[in-house]
Amino acid sequence: GDPCRVQPLWDEIDRFLAQSEAAPRPVTALYAVLRKPPFGIKEGLLPVYLTVALLRWRTEIAVYEEGGFVPQVRIAECERLLRAPERFALQRYLLNNSRSRVLLGYARLFRPDVEPGSVQPLTCVRLLMGFASQLPRHTQLTDRLSQEAQAVRRALLTAREPQGLLFEQLPQALGVSSLDDEVVVDNYLQRLRAVVVELHHAYTLSLIHI
C-alpha cells in the first residue's frame, strides 16, 4: 500500500527524470515542480526528497556540477548541492540491448562474475574512472605506453559526461566508430582489456626497467 500517498510524488519525479534523457535538467527545475500543487513541498524538505531520489535512482542518474560530471556524490558534494542547488543538474541514462552488452563487458573488466542485466551506465563509469584516478602518478603522465593505452588513459582522465565516455570517447580511443555489431563489440572489449592490463602494470614495469 501507499498510506502516505507518496507514490504520485515518485511518479512525478520519474517523469521529470525521463525528460532529462536528452539533456541534463537543473535541480532547481525539479524543486519548482515539487513546490507546486498537488505536492506543495516546503522549502526545507526539498533537499530531503532530492536525496531520497538520488538514492532510489542512483544507478541511473548522473549529477553535474556547473556542467561537469560528478563521478561520486559524497558528503562534500551533497553539502554543496544542498547549499547551492542552482549549480547542479541531473540526467538519466537508459539503455538499449546493444549498449547493455557493452556495459556488461566494461563491468567484467573489473568484476568478472557480474550478472547480465545488473549493470548500469554509472556503475561502469565509476569503475573506469576510479581505476584511472587510482593509477600511480607515473602511469598518469608517462608516454612510455602504447598509443592505444595513452588514448584510453586520456579519455578516462578527461571525461566530462558518462554517455560520451562509454559509447564515444573510449571506442574512438581504440579506433572503433560503432558498437552495433557483436563481433566488433567483442573485439573492442578484448583490446580494452589488454589496455587496462597494460595501464595496471605500467608502473611496476617501469621500476624493473630503471
Side-chain angles (χ1 to χ4, degrees):
D2 186 20
C4 298
R5 299 182 180 178
V6 296
Q7 190 57 49
L9 175 64
W10 297 128
D11 291 343
E12 187 63 34
I13 294 174
D14 188 59
R15 278 191 289 274
F16 176 91
L17 294 172
Q19 294 169 4
S20 75
E21 290 170 27
R25 299 193 69 192
V27 167
T28 51
L30 175 60
Y31 281 3
V33 170
L34 299 184
R35 286 193 195 97
K36 294 177 181 178
F39 308 112
I41 305 298
K42 301 299 183 185
E43 199 70 30
L45 289 177
L46 290 171
V48 175
Y49 284 98
L50 174 62
T51 301
V52 174
L54 289 175
L55 291 172
R56 179 170 179 168
W57 286 283
R58 62 186 176 277
T59 60
E60 299 177 24
I61 300 177
V63 177
Y64 295 84
E65 182 176 7
E66 296 186 328
F69 172 61
V70 181
Q72 296 282 358
V73 181
R74 301 188 178 92
I75 292 176
E77 288 77 16
C78 283
E79 289 177 347
R80 294 199 302 273
L81 194 160
L82 300 182
R83 193 166 54 245
E86 68 278 2
R87 295 171 53 186
F88 289 83
L90 309 175
Q91 185 173 23
R92 176 188 276 176
Y93 289 89
L94 296 181
L95 303 172
N96 57 30
N97 289 338
S98 175
R99 290 189 167 189
S100 294
R101 181 181 179 86
V102 176
L103 290 183
L104 180 62
Y106 284 144
R108 284 181 171 171
L109 292 173
F110 306 98
R111 298 177 182 172
D113 58 347
V114 70
E115 293 294 327
S118 65
V119 183
Q120 294 292 333
L122 297 187
T123 304
C124 294
V125 169
R126 288 163 185 152
L127 287 170
L128 288 160
M129 294 179 72
F131 165 75
S133 67
Q134 292 170 19
L135 289 172
R137 186 70 174 161
H138 167 85
T139 306
Q140 293 185 9
L141 297 173
T142 184
D143 58 4
R144 296 183 65 179
L145 295 168
S146 68
Q147 291 299 311
E148 288 192 339
Q150 291 185 54
V152 167
R153 179 187 62 185
R154 184 164 52 251
L156 292 173
L157 293 177
T158 62
R160 294 289 294 170
E161 59 93 14
Q163 187 159 272
L165 173 66
L166 297 175
F167 305 118
E168 296 173 20
Q169 279 94 48
L170 278 176
Q172 288 169 5
L174 296 182
V176 177
S177 59
S178 172
L179 294 173
D180 293 330
D181 180 272
E182 288 188 8
V183 174
V184 172
V185 168
D186 290 344
N187 179 262
Y188 162 65
L189 291 170
Q190 288 177 9
R191 291 166 60 202
L192 183 61
R193 178 178 297 278
V195 166
V196 167
V197 171
E198 180 182 352
L199 290 169
H200 179 70
H201 292 294
Y203 180 63
T204 302
L205 291 175
S206 73
L207 296 177
I208 294 173
H209 291 105
I210 288 177

